[in-house]
Amino acid sequence: EAQVTQNPRYLITVTGKKLTVTCSQNMNHEYMSWYRQDPGLGLRQIYYSMNVEVTDKGDVPEGYKVSRKEKRNFPLILESPSPNQTSLYFCASTLTGGVTEAFFGQGTRLTVV
Amino acid sequence: GQNIDQPTEMTATEGAIVQINCTYQTSGFNGLFWYQQHAGEAPTFLSYNVLDGLEEKGRFSSFLSRSKGYSYLLLKELQMKDSASYLCAVRDYPSYKLSFGAGTTVTVRA
């Protein structure tokens, strides 16, 4: 089954404790991205990757890091989480070339206290 | 970048029709997408338009006018399960970045 898998689904952590949210897709998609979703603000792109070893900042990259060592994986790293990073996070992947939809992971609800 | 506007909320009666408008501004255009999102869940793809005109998919239709920077999603024969947020998104070319509007919450009442 074609899917994007994120883990964990829920996470409560303390300020400053490094964490990683994993994302994996099995569709051989080149393009992957991370979004955060906050009430009234919609989905905002954090980082994206056009292919292996190619990553770039989205609209709200401060406080986040990513890596793309393999095509299928695109982890999101919070080196020193702060309470303003409490949000619902989504990973997405899509084919480039042609007009194709983005597939989303199940979401990760992160709370930083 | 993109500037995408859609209404915040809409309410309609079961069995009725609702039209959600979306306006956008973009430097490069590679398609307009509509997604449905139930609270706390992932967005799911509904439709896309890359050329002007109407695309129909069962009870859902989507329209695009590239010259006007305008799209709408039409939901017909509304059902209670259609209560959700509907997201308008525009893909940029050549970056392939998908930018979203804030979403329209549709409430279907009996």
Side-chain angles (χ1 to χ4, degrees):
Chain A
E1 180 190 354
Q3 59 186 4
V4 179
T5 304
Q6 284 178 237
N7 280 296
R9 294 288 312 276
Y10 301 91
L11 179 61
I12 301 175
T13 190
V14 296
T15 299
K17 185 177 181 182
K18 180 179 178 180
L19 66 92
T20 300
V21 184
T22 63
C23 174
S24 181
Q25 52 95 2
N26 63 0
M27 295 168 281
N28 203 36
H29 287 170
E30 300 92 353
Y31 189 100
M32 297 184 75
S33 57
W34 276 101
Y35 293 86
R36 61 177 289 173
Q37 187 173 35
D38 303 289
L41 296 178
L43 285 156
R44 294 180 293 166
Q45 191 181 61
I46 303 170
Y47 268 94
Y48 67 94
S49 170
M50 296 283 280
N51 215 323
V52 176
E53 302 291 2
V54 181
T55 63
D56 209 346
K57 296 176 182 178
D59 298 317
V60 287
E62 293 76 22
Y64 304 95
K65 284 175 56 178
V66 293
S67 69
R68 188 90 181 274
K69 294 184 170 59
E70 307 161 284
K71 200 170 188 179
R72 62 185 293 124
N73 295 323
F74 190 46
L76 179 70
I77 303 153
L78 285 72
E79 295 269 3
S80 182
S82 62
N84 64 12
Q85 293 178 297
T86 292
S87 187
L88 180 58
Y89 291 86
F90 289 102
C91 177
S93 75
T94 188
L95 280 172
T96 54
V99 180
T100 55
E101 72 269 28
F103 292 81
F104 285 83
Q106 317 95 302
T108 296
R109 186 166 291 282
L110 173 66
T111 302
V112 183
V113 297
Chain B
Q2 285 92 350
N3 187 21
I4 303 169
D5 290 313
Q6 52 182 127
T8 304
E9 293 179 331
M10 301 184 78
T11 301
T13 306
E14 198 173 13
I17 299 173
V18 70
Q19 177 175 315
I20 306 169
N21 296 324
C22 173
T23 59
Y24 66 91
Q25 296 172 313
T26 183
S27 49
F29 181 80
N30 188 237
L32 187 139
F33 298 77
W34 285 96
Y35 283 82
Q36 181 191 60
Q37 185 180 28
H38 287 98
E41 297 182 8
T44 55
F45 170 73
L46 288 178
S47 70
Y48 79 82
N49 298 72
V50 62
L51 299 175
D52 290 352
L54 188 67
E55 292 284 340
E56 297 189 82
K57 255 182 147 182
R59 294 189 298 114
F60 296 169
S61 303
S62 58
F63 171 83
L64 174 68
S65 168
R66 287 172 297 169
S67 62
K68 295 182 179 176
Y70 168 71
S71 173
Y72 68 72
L73 179 70
L74 197 67
L75 286 63
K76 293 177 272 191
E77 300 169 20
L78 279 171
Q79 302 174 9
M80 300 299 286
K81 67 178 182 180
D82 297 330
S83 291
S85 183
Y86 292 85
L87 312 179
C88 174
V90 175
R91 174 167 289 155
D92 178 76
Y93 184 84
S95 72
Y96 289 97
K97 177 182 177 182
L98 192 63
S99 295
F100 287 82
T104 300
T105 300
V106 172
T107 302
V108 181
R109 294 192 171 152

